[in-house]
Amino acid sequence: MAARLHFLSQDAELLARIRGGDEEALVTLYALSRKPVVAMVVRNNGTTTDADDILQDALIVLWERVRSGRYEHTAKLETFIYATAQNMWRRKLARLRKERPTDLADDSLIAGDPSALDLLIESEEAALISNALNRLGEPCRTLLLLFYWEEASMDEIAHRMGFSNAETAKSKKYQCKKALQAILKNLEPIHD
Amino acid sequence: MTEYSTQHPALDPEQVEQYVLGRLTPTEQQAFDTHLQLCAQCRRTVDAELLLAAGVRRTGRNALKKRLAASVEERPAVPWPRIVAVAAAIVIIAGLGIIRLWINREQATPPLPMENPPSVTEHRTGKEEIQDKLSGSGQPSPQEPKGTKADRTSIPSREEAKKSKEQFAAPKDEALNVDDARRALAKNEVQAPAPAAGATVVGSAAGLWTEGTLFEAEPSPKTAERPIAAEVKRGDLETAHEKRVLKAVSQVQGILLHQQPSRALTQHQRSQQTAGRQTILTYAEQVGEQIRLTLYPDTLFAPGDLERAAVSQPADDSLLIRVGHQSIGYRLPQGFLQQQTRK
C-alpha cells in the first residue's frame, strides 16, 4: 500500500512538472522506464539504440498528451510509457516488414490509438513542412509551434509572445501560414 | 449544432484548425466528418492542414528529442538518489566487513603448530569456523600465515606440523636461559650485536608461536627501563653503558607489543604451554615493517606498563622484555630476527 501511494505521489509530481513545462521530468521518466523498454525492444529484434530512440519518442507522446490536456492517468506513467513504446516498436517493425513477434502485444488500451496526425508525423510530407518551418523566421516559427505543437490558445500565445491580444495573434498566425506556404512552394523535398 | 453545407464557398479556416487539433466537440466533429464525406475540396483543405500540423509537430518533437537525448547523455541512466543509496549501502557493508575483519584479526587466536593436528570437526567450534570464513576473504589473520591459497586451505600433515614446530617454536630442551640473560644484562656483560643501520623488515611474513618465560625483574640500571620510544629517539647517549643499551634497543626497534588474555587461546593451545613454569604464550608476526608480539598472559599487564616496556636483545636468538616489575625472556629460532630485519 505504501509503495502504491509512493508511485501515485511520484506520478502526480511528474505530471505536474510536465504540465509546467519542466523537461527534466522526462529525464527522470527516461531513467525509470529504460530498463523494461530496452528489454522489450532487444527481445524483439531491436538494439539498445532502437530502444533509446523509441523510448524518447514515447516520452514525447506523453509530453504532448499531458501538455494538451488529453492524457488520462489510468495507469502508472511507466506503464503508459512502456505500452506506448511497445506500440511504436510494433509499428516500426511492421514498416520494416519484419515478422511481428507474437509476444509483442497491442497495448492501445493503455497507450491509446495514434491519431491521424500522429501517423502523418513520420511521413515525408511532414518532413518537408518541418524543413520549411526551420527556414521560417521568428516570430512565425515559434508562433506556429505554440499553436500546433503545444496547442496553446490564442490568448496564451498573445501573452507569451507579447502580442496585444488574441486577435492580433490570430492575424499574425494567418500571415505566418501564408509565409510557410510560400517557402513550401519553392522548397525541394529535403529530409530534415 | 453546427451545420455544414456542400454549398459553402470555403470551410472556415478556424473550424478546420479546431478539427485537426481535435478541439471540436463530438457533435461538431461528427457533423464535420459528414460534410467531408460529401466535399472533396474540403477534404483536401483538411489534409493540407493536417500535414501542416504534422510538420510543425515533427519540428517540435525533433527539437525536444534532441534536448532530451542531450540531457540523458549528461545524466546517468539510474537516478542519482538510487546511485547514492546503492553507494551508501556498499560503503556501509564494506565498512562493516572491514570492522569485522579487524575485530577478527585482533581477537583471533592463531593455532599452534601441533604434533597431532586435530581434524576440523574435532576441535573447532562454530565461532571459529565463522571467524575462519570471515578471515578467508583476504586479510590474513594470525591463524592464517601468508602463503599460497593451497597452503592456507590445506590441513597440515603430521610431518608438516612437526617441521613447522621445529622451524618456528623454541625447542623445550633449548629454552632460553633467561637467568643467564638477566644476569648478563644486569651486569652489562651482554655484548650486543652491532646496531642495525636502518632496520628494514623483509623476508618471510610467516608468524610463529613461542613461549616466553616470565620472572620477576631485578633492579636494573635506569637506562634499561627506558621506554623503547625514548631510547630510539635519543641519539646523543654518551656513556658506554647507555650506548650498549641503546644498541640493544636499536637492534630490536620496530617491535610492537600487544596482549590478549590467555583465555582467548583455545583449550588445546593452552595445553601446549609448558607445565610447571610461568610462561606466556606469544605469537610473533610481521606487521608492515614491524614485528608484532602478541602476548597471551593469564593476567593482562597494565596498559601503561606495556607502553613503557623495554625490549632488548641479549643474544642473536633471544629477546628480553621488561614490563613493569616483570621480565619475559624469549628464545627465538636462530635467524628469525635476521629474517625479519635486514641489517
Side-chain angles (χ1 to χ4, degrees), chain A residues 20-166:
Chain A
D22 180 4
E23 292 178 2
E24 283 295 302
L26 295 184
V27 180
T28 303
L29 279 168
Y30 180 95
L32 292 170
S33 309
R34 187 172 185 272
K35 193 174 177 181
V37 170
V38 167
M40 180 269 295
V41 171
V42 169
R43 198 170 56 239
N44 290 282
N45 305 324
T47 64
T48 53
T49 306
D50 293 330
D52 285 332
D53 192 53
I54 286 290
L55 176 55
Q56 287 168 17
D57 288 339
L59 286 168
I60 288 167
V61 167
L62 174 72
W63 174 271
E64 289 176 349
R65 291 203 186 179
V66 173
R67 299 273 293 164
S68 66
R70 289 198 305 271
Y71 176 75
E72 290 182 18
H73 192 39
T74 55
K76 269 175 61 180
L77 282 176
E78 288 172 58
T79 306
F80 174 86
I81 292 163
Y82 180 87
T84 304
Q86 195 173 41
N87 287 344
M88 286 180 157
W89 184 240
R90 181 172 55 84
R91 288 198 298 272
K92 189 167 186 175
L93 285 177
R95 280 201 304 274
L96 295 172
R97 296 181 181 178
K98 288 184 179 177
E99 188 177 349
R100 180 180 168 180
T102 53
D103 66 334
L104 203 55
D106 186 342
D107 274 329
S108 56
L109 281 178
I110 297 171
D113 286 321
S115 66
L117 200 53
D118 288 331
L119 295 175
L120 270 177
I121 285 172
E122 297 303 317
S123 67
E124 289 190 11
E125 292 87 345
L128 191 66
I129 290 169
S130 178
N131 201 315
L133 184 66
N134 286 329
R135 296 175 181 222
L136 195 63
E138 295 295 352
C140 282
R141 185 176 180 278
T142 299
L143 192 154
L144 293 179
L145 279 169
L146 285 174
F147 183 76
Y148 286 106
W149 189 52
E150 293 202 22
E151 299 187 39
S153 68
M154 296 315 297
D155 283 328
E156 188 181 349
I157 290 171
H159 176 72
R160 287 172 67 175
M161 299 199 67
F163 299 132
S164 56
N165 52 46

Side-chain angles (χ1 to χ4, degrees), chain A residues 23-24 26-27 30-32 53 56-57 60 63-64 117-118 120-123 125-127 129-130 133-134 141 144-145 147-149 151-152 170 173 177 180 192, chain B residues 13-14 17-18 20-23 47-69 71-72 75-79 82:
Chain A
E23 292 178 2
E24 283 295 302
L26 295 184
V27 180
Y30 180 95
L32 292 170
D53 192 53
Q56 287 168 17
D57 288 339
I60 288 167
W63 174 271
E64 289 176 349
L117 200 53
D118 288 331
L120 270 177
I121 285 172
E122 297 303 317
S123 67
E125 292 87 345
I129 290 169
S130 178
L133 184 66
N134 286 329
R141 185 176 180 278
L144 293 179
L145 279 169
F147 183 76
Y148 286 106
W149 189 52
E151 299 187 39
K170 198 180 291 183
K173 182 189 69 177
K177 287 174 79 170
L180 186 65
D192 58 350
Chain B
E14 283 190 37
E17 288 173 351
Q18 298 299 316
V20 164
L21 295 174
R23 290 178 180 170
D47 286 346
E49 186 69 16
L50 269 172
L51 267 178
L52 174 63
V56 174
R57 286 195 175 194
R58 183 183 176 115
T59 306
R61 283 186 177 187
N62 286 346
L64 177 59
K65 195 172 178 178
K66 281 180 184 173
R67 292 196 297 274
L68 179 59
S71 297
V72 165
R75 294 173 61 168
V78 183
R82 199 173 290 181

Side-chain angles (χ1 to χ4, degrees), chain B:
Chain B
M1 190 173 90
T2 306
E3 294 286 344
Y4 292 100
S5 164
T6 56
Q7 303 302 317
H8 64 86
L11 282 172
D12 177 5
E14 283 190 37
Q15 287 283 350
V16 175
E17 288 173 351
Q18 298 299 316
Y19 174 80
V20 164
L21 295 174
R23 290 178 180 170
L24 295 178
T25 64
T27 309
E28 288 171 337
Q29 184 163 331
Q30 189 177 1
F32 200 94
D33 284 335
T34 304
H35 176 79
L36 288 180
Q37 288 174 359
L38 302 171
C39 176
Q41 169 104 23
C42 300
R43 287 198 297 274
R44 285 192 291 273
T45 303
V46 168
D47 286 346
E49 186 69 16
L50 269 172
L51 267 178
L52 174 63
V56 174
R57 286 195 175 194
R58 183 183 176 115
T59 306
R61 283 186 177 187
N62 286 346
L64 177 59
K65 195 172 178 178
K66 281 180 184 173
R67 292 196 297 274
L68 179 59
S71 297
V72 165
E73 281 178 10
E74 287 173 5
R75 294 173 61 168
V78 183
W80 272 110
R82 199 173 290 181
I83 289 177
V84 170
V86 170
I90 289 171
V91 168
I92 290 169
I93 290 167
L96 287 174
I98 289 168
I99 290 169
R100 289 204 67 179
L101 283 171
W102 180 77
I103 291 171
N104 187 48
R105 186 182 175 83
E106 289 296 311
Q107 293 183 345
T109 304
L112 278 173
M114 291 169 284
E115 287 187 6
N116 298 300
S119 68
V120 173
T121 52
E122 279 177 342
H123 291 280
R124 297 177 68 75
T125 64
K127 184 180 177 183
E128 286 169 332
E129 289 181 15
I130 291 169
Q131 285 177 337
D132 278 1
K133 284 176 183 175
L134 283 171
S135 64
S137 60
Q139 182 73 10
S141 71
Q143 288 171 309
E144 184 185 23
K146 292 178 184 173
T148 62
K149 189 174 180 182
D151 290 338
R152 292 198 301 272
T153 53
S154 62
I155 299 172
S157 64
R158 179 177 296 191
E159 289 73 20
E160 287 170 339
K162 188 176 179 182
K163 187 179 177 184
S164 173
K165 184 170 182 177
E166 287 171 353
Q167 184 181 355
F168 294 128
K172 289 185 176 61
D173 56 352
E174 292 180 15
L176 172 66
N177 187 340
V178 289
D179 293 334
D180 292 345
R182 181 190 59 196
R183 279 193 294 273
L185 190 64
K187 294 176 183 176
N188 298 325
E189 288 174 353
V190 174
Q191 187 60 45
T200 306
V201 178
V202 293
S204 169
L208 64 87
W209 280 98
T210 185
E211 259 185 333
T213 303
L214 193 66
F215 54 91
E216 288 299 315
E218 289 183 353
S220 58
K222 262 191 169 178
T223 48
E225 295 179 349
R226 277 208 180 98
I228 302 170
E231 292 289 353
V232 172
K233 285 175 185 173
R234 292 188 58 168
D236 57 347
L237 298 177
E238 291 177 354
T239 66
H241 169 73
E242 285 179 326
K243 205 169 187 176
R244 195 153 44 236
V245 174
L246 179 64
K247 283 177 183 175
V249 171
S250 296
Q251 179 69 22
V252 290
Q253 66 178 308
I255 287 186
L256 301 170
L257 294 178
H258 285 229
Q259 63 176 343
Q260 294 278 336
S262 61
R263 64 176 179 274
L265 298 166
T266 64
Q267 190 176 359
H268 182 75
Q269 287 173 326
R270 297 182 73 171
S271 70
Q272 295 289 304
Q273 288 183 277
T274 305
R277 295 180 67 178
Q278 271 204 297
T279 59
I280 296 180
L281 208 53
T282 302
Y283 189 77
E285 61 183 327
Q286 184 179 347
V287 178
E289 294 186 346
Q290 295 174 306
I291 295 171
R292 180 165 71 182
L293 299 176
T294 304
L295 285 59
Y296 290 84
D298 291 334
T299 306
L300 290 176
F301 297 106
D305 287 346
L306 205 65
E307 287 170 9
R308 288 190 295 272
V311 181
S312 58
Q313 188 179 8
D316 287 348
D317 59 351
S318 300
L319 274 181
L320 190 65
I321 303 174
R322 289 184 65 95
V323 188
H325 298 294
Q326 292 181 302
S327 289
I328 313 158
Y330 291 93
R331 169 70 58 82
L332 295 169
Q334 192 75 29
F336 175 77
L337 287 172
Q338 283 67 34
Q339 285 178 16
Q340 306 295 330
T341 60
R342 177 182 291 163
K343 292 181 181 177

